[in-house]
Amino acid sequence: MIQSRVHVSDLREHVGRTVTVCGWVNTLRLQRKMQFVIVRDSTGMVQVTHKRDEGPLEAQLEALTPESAVRITGRVVDAAQVKLGGLEIVPEQVEVLNQAATPLPIDEHTGLEQRLDWRFLDVRRRPGTQLMFAVQTTLEQGMREYAYAQGATEMHTPKLMGTASESGAEVFKLGYFDRSAYLAQSPQFYKQMAISAGIDKVFEIGPVFRAEPSFTSRHATEFTGVDVELAWIDGVEDVMAFEEQMLAHAIGKVADAYGEAIAEHFGGVEVTVPTTPFPRITMAEAHEILRKGGWDPQGVKEDLDPEGERSISAHIKQATGHEFVFITHYPVGIRPFYHMRPADDPSVTLSFDLLWRGLEVTTGAQREHRYDVLLKQAVEKGMSTEPLQDYMNAFRYGCPPHGGLGMGLGRVLMVMLGLDSIREATFLFRGPNRLTP
C-alpha cells in the first residue's frame, strides 16, 4: 500500500516514522561511501541520505538526474548536522515517476528571455516565483472580498467585439467566419452597459488585449485587468475611495499571509499596508511641481512620461510619506471621449491615474452618462458614432451617473514585489515578440 504523501514542511512532526515524500531531485551528491539526494517539493527541501550497500536502492539513486520527479519512502531521522531543517530521510523505497532529460536547458545563470522559453522549469526551480503566484492569488482574493462586501456583482464580458473599441487604435483584428472581429482592449463599454442594465456595482478580473508595439518593462499585449464600475456616484471621488479601500484591504491580506516570505525571497522587500485616503494632486499641480524641478523645460508635455511619474511619486513620498498618489483632472486632449468634463472647466476631465512607487497601475474616471453630451464629445474627437451605436444606445434610456477604473494586475504585483519587469510578474508573458510557449 502506498503511504499517503507528507509535505516536506511537515516532516518535523514525523520524526522516527516512515513517510512518503513526492518531489523533484534538486541536487545529487554521489560520494564513494554515501549518496545524498536533495528532494524539493512546493513547501521546501529535504536531504535523503543513503549509505552505499550495493543493493537496488544504490543503483536507483545513482541513476537519478536533476529535476526527475520521484516518490521516496523512508524513515525521518533527526540529524542536527543537516542544514535543511536538522533532519533527513533514510530511504526504503525509491520510485522514479518521470526521469528528467540531461542537461537541463536553463540554470541559475540563464537570462530572462531564455528562462521565459522554459517557463515551467523556471517557475518550478525558483521558490520566489512560486511564491509570487501565491501572492497573486491572495491579492485577487482580497480585491474580490472587498468588492463582494460592497455589494458588487462579478461580470464576465465578451473578449470578441464586432467593432474596434474606444478609439479603434491598438486592437488586434482577427478573422471571424466571413467578417472581422477584434479582441477587447478593455471591458469598458460592456461594464457601462451593465450599469445601464441596473447592476449597481460591477467588477471583472479578466484578460485584456493591447496591440501596442511596446517593448518596455511595463507593457504586455495580453494582461489581466481588474475593472470596476460604480453607479449612482456623486463624483469621481467615490471611485477613488473605492479603489484605495480595495487596495488597502488586498495588500493587508498579502502582508498577513506572506509578508515574511516576501522579505526573504525578494531581497528584503517590505509589504506595507497603505493608509487611506491616498494623496491626490491635479495634473496642473503635478506639472507645476515637476517643471520647477527641470522636467519638460519646453512646457510641451500634456501627459506624464515615465520619468515624470517617478519624479512626482518621489515628491509625494517625501512630502507625505505615502507610496501611492492619485493624479487627477487630466486634460481633455489625452483622455477618451466618454470621460466627463466638469462644468466649471471643460478643458479637463474628471479622471485620474493611480501611481504606486512611480508606476501607473490604474486609470479611472467619472463617465459621461448624458447621451447628448457624449455624442457631442465623440464628434469633437473626430469619431464616427456609427460603429459605437450599441454603446451609445446604453445612454438613451435612463443611464445613472457612474464611474470606474481599470487596474493592471501584473503591474501591481511587479511594484509590490520589486520586480524589474512585468515579464516576471506573469506566468506566460505575451509581447510583440513573444507568442510562445
Side-chain angles (χ1 to χ4, degrees), residues 213-353:
S214 292
F215 296 88
T216 74
S217 60
R218 59 189 194 282
H219 284 93
T221 51
E222 178 183 353
F223 61 90
T224 301
V226 179
D227 273 86
V228 174
E229 206 70 25
L230 311 170
W232 308 105
I233 61 171
D234 291 323
V236 67
E237 181 56 46
D238 291 355
V239 183
M240 292 191 280
F242 186 99
E243 176 167 36
E244 63 196 4
Q245 294 294 340
M246 180 168 78
L247 276 170
H249 178 78
I251 293 168
K253 275 193 85 77
V254 170
D256 288 349
Y258 298 111
E260 285 176 30
I262 289 169
E264 182 192 333
H265 286 286
F266 291 94
V269 166
E270 205 177 320
V271 180
T272 327
V273 184
T275 55
T276 56
F278 298 174
R280 288 137 167 75
I281 180 174
T282 67
M283 180 60 110
E285 290 167 331
H287 276 160
E288 197 181 323
I289 291 162
L290 288 170
R291 289 194 174 117
K292 276 183 189 159
W295 175 83
D296 184 29
Q298 282 80 39
V300 291
K301 291 179 181 170
E302 278 194 289
D303 208 348
L304 297 181
D305 57 9
E307 184 203 344
E309 290 176 346
R310 286 191 293 271
S311 300
I312 200 68
S313 282
H315 172 87
I316 294 292
K317 176 91 163 91
Q318 201 177 355
T320 68
H322 217 291
E323 293 185 339
F324 286 91
V325 57
F326 283 115
I327 311 286
T328 67
H329 297 84
Y330 275 68
V332 162
I334 53 173
R335 283 305 208 220
F337 76 97
Y338 53 80
H339 282 192
M340 187 179 270
R341 304 169 190 183
D344 58 351
D345 184 3
S347 71
V348 295
T349 54
L350 295 170
S351 65
F352 65 86
D353 273 7

Side-chain angles (χ1 to χ4, degrees), residues 130 182 230 268 275 354 396:
Q130 297 200 6
Y182 303 87
L230 311 170
T275 55
L354 179 61
R396 290 174 60 194

Side-chain angles (χ1 to χ4, degrees), residues 365-380:
Q366 178 166 1
R367 321 300 184 188
E368 183 49 73
H369 62 284
R370 297 162 295 185
Y371 179 77
D372 53 335
V373 181
L374 198 58
L375 199 58
K376 184 169 122 289
Q377 289 182 183
V379 171
E380 252 177 54

